[in-house]
Amino acid sequence: MFKADMHVHTTASDGLLSPTEVIRWASKKEINAIAITDHDTVKGIEEAIDSGKRYGVKVIPGVEMSCIYKESEVHIVGLFIDHNDKKLNDKFKELSESRTKRGKKIISNLREIGIDIDYDELLKEANCDSIGKPHIARLLIKKNYAEDMQDAFKKYLLNGKPGDVERAKILVPEAIELIKSVNGIAIIAHPGLIKRKVYPLELLRYNPDGMEVLHSIHDKHTIERIGKIVREKNLLKSAGSDCHGNLYDGIPILGDFYLNRDEYEAILKKHLERKIENGKK
């Protein structure tokens, strides 16, 4: 049975598994295709592609971009992107610098309330350029300031807490246009997690290619609701585990939420058509 997990993270952003480890697990779990979609970076893709060739796993270059829509954070996944494009990488460099500034500010705020951590410790914990709140949460757990990720966010990182520091986000239409300009397919990620239920429909004004219907956090009702939108609006269906490498009974959720062959090939077909269209411009 063909399986394609279109939303996976690695240590290039806030995942716990290296790109090679992700591919090893994909091979072990008999996943045919994996999209590497780290947060605002493409630095894990080449390693994943090389590993994919060794393990017989198709690797789809991707990214997950953090955007803002009204008062809500919205994520847009780009699939089949040209990850070597200069314009794309310049944007990611800009976003990485913003994440660095935010990380330093959060550490400073936490130190002011007596939390004994420093930025060098955070860099060691993150071991990547795309520093995010999960890295800070893991450091807080390691130093016994929190019991688990949920506790760390609740105490220190959510709205109104010392770690509530904004980072640069791009607008949804800018992200979608950027993804399309590098031959990618723009997917609204985990729409069931967006603050207001009406927003996924509103976001269609910006012409995304599809939505993530199956996701590790979507319940049955959400899958039905988003699936109906995708069918009625003739959008592409995507699916992904959003795996960050956490192990459950010793196994990651990698590949537990996936597209079948026909659904995967529909996205691939759209990518190939876009590549031809962009080549004519």
Side-chain angles (χ1 to χ4, degrees), residues 248-268:
Y248 302 90
D249 295 325
I251 302 172
I253 62 171
L254 182 75
D256 289 357
F257 302 83
Y258 57 88
L259 294 180
N260 63 33
R261 186 182 297 276
D262 288 344
E263 293 163 341
Y264 167 80
E265 290 185 350
I267 293 179
L268 174 59

Side-chain angles (χ1 to χ4, degrees), residues 206-226:
Y206 302 123
N207 297 316
D209 296 300
M211 288 189 185
E212 204 167 50
V213 178
L214 300 178
H215 182 271
S216 51
I217 303 297
H218 284 181
D219 58 21
K220 182 179 179 181
H221 174 73
T222 301
I223 291 170
E224 291 174 352
R225 176 170 62 87
I226 302 302

Side-chain angles (χ1 to χ4, degrees), residues 155-172:
K155 285 181 177 177
Y156 305 109
L157 301 172
L158 294 180
N159 291 348
K161 302 298 181 180
D164 180 22
V165 178
E166 281 293 314
R167 72 174 184 275
K169 298 186 185 77
I170 68 175
L171 297 176
V172 171

Side-chain angles (χ1 to χ4, degrees), residues 103 106-118 121-122 125-126 132-158 161-164:
I106 292 174
I107 293 297
S108 175
N109 289 354
L110 291 174
R111 289 181 64 83
E112 287 181 5
I113 63 169
I115 303 298
D116 183 22
I117 58 177
D118 60 43
E121 288 179 300
L122 177 59
E125 178 66 31
K133 286 185 178 180
H135 297 125
I136 298 171
R138 289 171 193 153
L139 182 57
L140 289 167
I141 295 166
K142 186 176 291 187
K143 301 202 72 174
N144 298 316
Y145 288 108
E147 295 180 3
D148 52 31
M149 294 292 282
Q150 184 177 4
D151 187 46
F153 271 82
K154 184 177 179 181
K155 285 181 177 177
Y156 305 109
L157 301 172
L158 294 180
K161 302 298 181 180
D164 180 22

